[in-house]
Amino acid sequence: MNNAKGIYGCHNHTFYSEDSNGDPARLCAEAVRSGLAGIAITDHFDTEFLARRDQVGYIRRSLETTRRLQRAYAGQLRIFTGVEVGSAVLYPEGIRPLLATEDFDIVIGSVHTVRYPGWILPFSRIDFTPFTEAQIHDFLYQYFIDLQETADTTDFDVLAHLTVPLRYIIGKYRKPVDMNRYQLQVRRILQTIVDKGIALEVNTSGVGGTFDAFMPERDIVQQYLDMGGRAITLASDAHIPENATHGLAEGAAMLRSLGVTEACYYRNRKPVYYPLPDV
Ligand SMILES: [Zn+2]
Ligand SMILES: [Zn+2]
């Protein structure tokens, strides 16, 4: 399935993110080619790297480029300014100057680094091979604590990839995880975002890969809807232009199977609903 026509991809990275070499102009060209209605450019602002990387400078350059591309693609593609704020609980002050001085269309909140003693680094870089079942459990338990604190204390619009550690723990390291153990934590996080009007992201970057699942999976999206949640974004979380539409059509089909007829994108930090295309 690759028809993402009419969808808004609300989470994309470019070479202003540490883990991407993607050319933003090529990302936009790919989005136009594949018929996306719009994209947000949401480069990383990971607080754990503040001491060694000029993150403010990178985000400012990302914003300048995004604004230039908005003008270049006027009438062809809607392009939105954004940022993905990672692990804000490690250094809550970090993002405030940027949010106070720059206009963003969308601010995404996520956790990439868990406050797990001895392993306070992005979990994409952790080798989980020696972790015991108990350690995996403690790690995930702490992940959801950090995500809850992020939702409670950080200024953001969309909660990104709620179950993303599973991509590494299950997908890459083949460790079993019983998500029932985190049911209460997940429920509380969902309640918090429903109460605060924060959108839930359906992240489709894992579709077709070693962890072939939406983040979060369908049953968690169902819970969010049952709790009164309405705002949902679709996100390929592309780190290379070729992935601009990765999994978006599948994500739209999953949402439709739950009776969802509208997703949203963000403009001036407010959700704008659009009809999900038939895919
Ligand atoms: Zn992320
Ligand atoms: Zn991302």
Side-chain angles (χ1 to χ4, degrees):
M1 216 189 279
N2 57 14
N3 185 6
K5 214 169 164 21
I7 293 175
Y8 287 79
C10 295
H11 181 164
N12 298 283
H13 296 277
T14 74
F15 50 48
Y16 297 109
S17 293
E18 194 178 55
D19 59 352
S20 168
N21 293 318
D23 179 342
R26 282 195 48 225
L27 176 71
C28 294
E30 179 60 26
V32 170
R33 195 194 63 74
S34 54
L36 286 181
I39 56 165
I41 297 182
T42 55
D43 281 306
H44 284 297
F45 184 95
D46 278 315
T47 58
E48 60 269 46
F49 301 138
L50 273 172
R52 65 170 177 81
R53 193 170 189 267
D54 175 23
Q55 305 239 75
V56 172
Y58 278 106
I59 295 300
R60 287 202 202 284
R61 288 199 284 287
S62 170
L63 286 168
E64 279 164 27
T65 302
T66 304
R67 291 186 187 117
R68 185 170 51 74
L69 290 165
Q70 283 174 333
R71 293 189 290 274
Y73 279 87
Q76 275 191 84
L77 176 71
R78 305 195 66 192
I79 304 171
F80 301 97
T81 55
V83 62
E84 178 179 8
V85 183
S87 304
V89 293
L90 293 172
Y91 185 43
E93 299 302 315
I95 188 65
R96 285 192 190 138
L98 265 177
L99 293 186
T101 55
E102 297 285 354
D103 292 326
F104 291 97
D105 287 313
I106 181 169
V107 177
I108 296 176
S110 60
V111 169
H112 300 127
T113 290
V114 173
R115 290 175 298 185
Y116 182 73
W119 298 93
I120 302 182
L121 72 162
F123 41 74
S124 56
R125 298 184 196 167
I126 294 178
D127 179 358
F128 286 98
T129 312
F131 277 53
T132 64
E133 202 180 318
Q135 284 175 309
I136 295 277
H137 171 60
D138 288 347
F139 186 89
L140 281 171
Y141 189 77
Q142 185 62 46
Y143 167 76
F144 288 116
I145 287 174
D146 285 7
L147 201 58
Q148 178 71 54
E149 194 174 317
T150 303
D152 286 337
T153 62
T154 310
D155 177 14
F156 69 99
D157 309 315
V158 181
L159 183 74
H161 48 54
L162 193 150
T163 51
V164 70
L166 304 183
R167 181 177 188 168
Y168 303 96
I169 295 169
I170 299 177
K172 190 169 176 193
Y173 292 97
R174 300 284 159 199
K175 301 272 187 179
V177 171
D178 177 6
M179 273 301 286
N180 288 323
R181 300 180 80 173
Y182 314 101
Q183 227 173 37
L184 284 176
Q185 286 180 296
V186 168
R187 211 179 157 70
R188 227 185 112 216
I189 292 165
L190 293 176
Q191 191 62 61
T192 303
I193 64 169
V194 169
D195 292 347
K196 293 181 84 167
I198 293 170
L200 180 70
E201 173 188 280
V202 171
N203 189 296
T204 60
S205 60
V207 169
T210 51
F211 180 61
D212 186 9
F214 300 113
M215 297 180 285
E217 291 191 56
R218 189 178 187 276
D219 60 328
I220 292 178
V221 181
Q222 175 78 69
Q223 271 185 60
Y224 172 73
L225 295 169
D226 291 345
M227 293 165 92
R230 180 176 173 222
I232 297 176
T233 62
L234 282 165
S236 64
D237 201 351
H239 284 67
I240 53 171
E242 292 73 16
N243 283 347
T245 63
H246 185 96
L248 293 179
E250 287 86 345
M254 181 271 278
L255 289 175
R256 280 203 160 266
S257 78
L258 288 169
V260 176
T261 56
E262 291 180 319
C264 62
Y265 60 88
Y266 274 72
R267 180 153 165 65
N268 293 327
R269 304 201 58 189
K270 298 264 185 314
V272 180
Y273 290 84
Y274 69 95
L276 275 174
D278 276 319
V279 286

